[in-house]
Amino acid sequence: HAVLARPLRRAKRAVEADATLIDEAERLKAELEEELRERLYAERLERERVEREAATAELEAAITYAATSRDNASLVRALKRARKAVDVRSELLGRGEDLKMEIDAEKKAEREAAEEASRQRKLAERMERERVETQAATAELEAAVSAAETSRDTTWLVKALRRARRAAGVSADLLDRAESLKHEIDLEKKVAAEEARAAN
């Protein structure tokens, strides 16, 4: 029909052109255009059919694989292709969507369970670190109290008290004992210093 278009335009502009010939050319052009439309339509339908069959086969295979492997990566791709294809069975699309949702829910539950297990593990590790530190700080403070009671030197007692206050769960009675002992020794030193000054 493209071959006829230009000569037809020229013939219509020409003076005393053969009207019968022009009519015949226009009929032929219309027939060729209709044939082209029908051919293009048939080609489009064929392309759609081929793609529909390929997308359907891919989706069916992806559903079978995902149902056993519980991996929906190929299912996601196949669903995307099937949605774009023309007239893929809605029942098949529904099956694919349902399976995808099911696997997504499973993966979410697994992820949440793993996150909760990680939280519990970290909590247990922190509590264990705190327990070990409490025991160590308690032992250090008890040793510092015993040493200070005999030596009347608060150097290690001050350090042990600082550590014990930071630790969680050191006995309040032990802390009070240590604080009282420190106060007592400090008072003794103050009195001794004042007596020494008075003696001088």
Side-chain angles (χ1 to χ4, degrees), residues 129-139 167-171:
R129 284 195 303 272
E130 287 176 358
R131 185 190 68 75
V132 168
E133 176 57 18
T134 299
Q135 283 184 348
T138 298
V170 172
S171 162

Side-chain angles (χ1 to χ4, degrees), residues 140-141 143-145 147-148 151 153-163:
E140 184 180 342
L141 187 55
V145 166
S151 70
D153 180 1
T154 60
T155 306
W156 294 108
L157 183 60
V158 169
K159 183 184 170 196
L161 259 170
R162 197 177 298 133
R163 180 181 183 185

Side-chain angles (χ1 to χ4, degrees), residues 104-157:
D104 284 344
E106 285 173 9
K107 287 190 183 304
K108 185 183 177 190
E110 285 169 10
R111 195 164 54 248
E112 287 172 353
E115 286 167 0
E116 180 58 25
S118 175
R119 273 194 296 274
Q120 292 298 330
R121 190 182 67 252
K122 285 175 183 173
L123 176 62
E125 287 169 357
R126 195 189 81 221
M127 289 175 72
E128 177 60 15
R129 284 195 303 272
E130 287 176 358
R131 185 190 68 75
V132 168
E133 176 57 18
T134 299
Q135 283 184 348
T138 298
E140 184 180 342
L141 187 55
E142 285 171 344
V145 166
S146 296
E149 281 173 340
T150 54
S151 70
R152 312 313 280 175
D153 180 1
T154 60
T155 306
W156 294 108
L157 183 60

Side-chain angles (χ1 to χ4, degrees), residues 5 18 34-35 62-63 69 121 127 136 162 164 166 170 185 200:
D18 187 342
E34 182 59 27
E35 282 177 16
I63 287 172
S69 70
R121 190 182 67 252
M127 289 175 72
R162 197 177 298 133
R166 283 198 307 265
V170 172
I185 295 170
N200 290 336

Side-chain angles (χ1 to χ4, degrees), residues 4-200:
L4 285 171
R6 190 180 293 169
L8 256 174
R9 280 198 302 273
R10 185 175 180 189
K12 285 176 185 174
R13 286 198 304 269
V15 179
E16 295 180 7
D18 187 342
T20 308
L21 184 60
I22 290 173
D23 288 344
E24 189 181 336
E26 284 184 334
R27 272 196 308 278
L28 180 58
K29 181 174 174 283
E31 284 172 15
L32 291 172
E33 284 173 346
E34 182 59 27
E35 282 177 16
L36 177 64
R37 269 193 300 273
E38 286 175 3
R39 192 179 79 246
L40 291 175
Y41 178 66
E43 286 172 358
R44 181 170 64 81
L45 288 180
E46 178 60 13
R47 282 195 306 272
E48 288 174 357
R49 183 192 67 76
V50 168
E51 177 56 18
R52 178 171 53 253
E53 288 177 2
T56 298
E58 184 182 346
L59 183 54
E60 285 171 344
I63 287 172
T64 302
Y65 175 74
T68 53
S69 70
R70 310 316 281 174
D71 177 6
N72 64 5
S74 60
L75 181 59
V76 169
R77 284 194 303 273
L79 272 168
K80 197 178 292 178
R81 181 181 184 184
R83 281 190 219 105
K84 282 194 292 204
V86 178
D87 292 337
V88 171
R89 296 193 320 273
S90 57
E91 170 272 328
L92 182 63
L93 282 167
R95 263 175 57 213
E97 293 285 359
D98 290 346
L99 181 58
K100 179 184 174 297
M101 283 168 55
E102 183 185 313
I103 294 171
D104 284 344
E106 285 173 9
K107 287 190 183 304
K108 185 183 177 190
E110 285 169 10
R111 195 164 54 248
E112 287 172 353
E115 286 167 0
E116 180 58 25
S118 175
R119 273 194 296 274
Q120 292 298 330
R121 190 182 67 252
K122 285 175 183 173
L123 176 62
E125 287 169 357
R126 195 189 81 221
M127 289 175 72
E128 177 60 15
R129 284 195 303 272
E130 287 176 358
R131 185 190 68 75
V132 168
E133 176 57 18
T134 299
Q135 283 184 348
T138 298
E140 184 180 342
L141 187 55
E142 285 171 344
V145 166
S146 296
E149 281 173 340
T150 54
S151 70
R152 312 313 280 175
D153 180 1
T154 60
T155 306
W156 294 108
L157 183 60
V158 169
K159 183 184 170 196
L161 259 170
R162 197 177 298 133
R163 180 181 183 185
R165 284 191 209 106
R166 283 198 307 265
V170 172
S171 162
D173 289 342
L174 178 60
L175 284 166
D176 288 345
R177 233 177 88 209
E179 293 279 4
S180 298
L181 179 60
K182 178 183 176 299
H183 181 67
E184 181 186 313
I185 295 170
D186 286 345
L187 195 59
E188 285 174 6
K189 286 182 178 175
K190 185 179 177 185
V191 169
E194 285 172 357
E195 286 175 353
R197 275 198 300 274
N200 290 336

